[in-house]
């Protein structure tokens, strides 16, 4: 068996002469190749943003758009963010990619506002690695300046685990972001282990109910209980609450009745290219 491993490693060339099992080695190779493709993808501008509307339940109006990255790789075709974002995180490539997302999303929102429609927020996903970068707040501030975006229209989405991490320093960081005038949303809420005591000290604006709970609505599960609890929690902490992954009329009516503030999901619209957002939601202005 050791022979096989050695043979395989040699085959990969001198530089890769390592005592890996064939399986481990090929996984490492795959990861390396994906990393190279990602790097080139950034240079060749293979990334594009989709936007998914966030709708206010009481008015029925679009109040925000979540920017969601898409990668059309020359080597691989369409690659899902669930596949490449974790690799981009591990390799640190998420930092330049995330900066690209932030800049493009802000520039797009400013362009839309200039077309004269009712302004809406732009929500941008921020990964743990980006959030931990020493100059993250400076980056936010610089991009807002360069794109001439009013900070009140930017919302960053971070996960529970990011917000709950490292006690005091996360609170300080979030406070500095709030001081810029940027809004903060906790994504996939309910899937992590939030300390409620800690949550009430965090300067966040929005709880985003994870789509796994929305999916459970009407399936005779306790998903409905969880949603009701999160909505009540948000009320008592004076936070806005948005449900993601809303797909059906039943889910829509349930959430509306429970007085959820906003919704996002295929029921209203799939994530779309900017030009399709304009065609569908901006014509007539
Ligand atoms: P997320 O931020 O929780 O985004 C929600 C995901 O649910 C998106 O998947 C969206 O397309 C999908 N979705 C929206 N409505 C529905 C629905 O009604 N039904 C179902 N089944 N799905 C719905 P997507 O675009 O594939 O993104 C997956 C994840 O990748 C995101 O989860 C986010 O964590 C990450 N991601 C996407 N874009 C970025 C980015 O620019 N930066 C970073 N750091 N992460 C990103
Ligand atoms: Mg999100
Ligand atoms: Mg989410
Ligand atoms: Mg998610």
């Amino acid at each position: 068996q050791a022979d096989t491993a050695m043979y395989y490693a040699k085959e990969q060339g001198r530089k890769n002469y390592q005592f890996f099992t064939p399986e481990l080695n090929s996984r490492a190779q795959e990861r390396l190749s994906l990393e190279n493709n990602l790097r080139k993808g950034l240079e060749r501008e293979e990334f594009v943003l989709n936007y998914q509307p966030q709708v206010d339940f009481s008015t029925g109006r679009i109040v925000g758009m979540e920017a969601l990255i898409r990668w059309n790789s020359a080597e691989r075709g369409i690659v899902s963010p669930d596949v490449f974002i974790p690799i981009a995180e591990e390799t640190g490539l998420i930092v330049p990619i995330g900066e690209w997302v932030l800049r493009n999303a802000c520039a797009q929102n400013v362009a839309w506002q200039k077309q004269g429609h009712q302004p809406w927020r732009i929500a941008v996903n921020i990964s743990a690695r980006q959030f931990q970068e020493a100059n993250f707040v400076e980056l936010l501030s610089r991009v807002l300046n360069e794109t001439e975006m009013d900070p009140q229209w930017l919302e960053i989405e971070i996960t529970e685990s990011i917000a709950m991490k490292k006690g005091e320093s996360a609170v300080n960081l979030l406070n500095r972001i709030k001081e810029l005038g940027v809004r903060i949303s906790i994504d996939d809420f309910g899937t992590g282990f939030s300390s409620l005591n800690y949550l009430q000290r965090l300067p966040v604006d929005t709880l985003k109910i994870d789509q796994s709970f929305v999916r459970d609505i009407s399936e005779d599960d306790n998903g409905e209980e969880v949603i009701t609890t999160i909505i009540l929690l948000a009320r008592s902490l004076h936070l806005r609450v948005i449900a993601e992954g809303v797909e059906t009329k039943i889910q829509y009516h349930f959430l509306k009745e429970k007085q959820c503030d906003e919704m996002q999901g295929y029921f209203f619209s799939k994530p779309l290219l900017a030009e399709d957002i304009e065609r569908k939601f901006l014509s007539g202005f």
Side-chain angles (χ1 to χ4, degrees), residues 101-119:
V101 171
L102 190 63
R103 184 168 277 108
N104 274 270
C106 288
Q108 180 60 255
N109 210 36
V110 169
W112 279 331
Q113 290 191 13
K114 281 186 180 154
Q115 291 177 29
H117 74 88
Q118 188 97 358

Side-chain angles (χ1 to χ4, degrees), residues 18 35 42 90 111 141 154 157 169 190 201 245 251 256 262 283:
Q18 287 163 1
E35 182 185 345
L42 200 55
E90 281 174 43
S141 167
L154 176 64
E157 294 193 1
S169 69
R201 294 171 47 216
Q251 293 165 347
K256 193 177 164 115
E262 295 169 20
S283 54

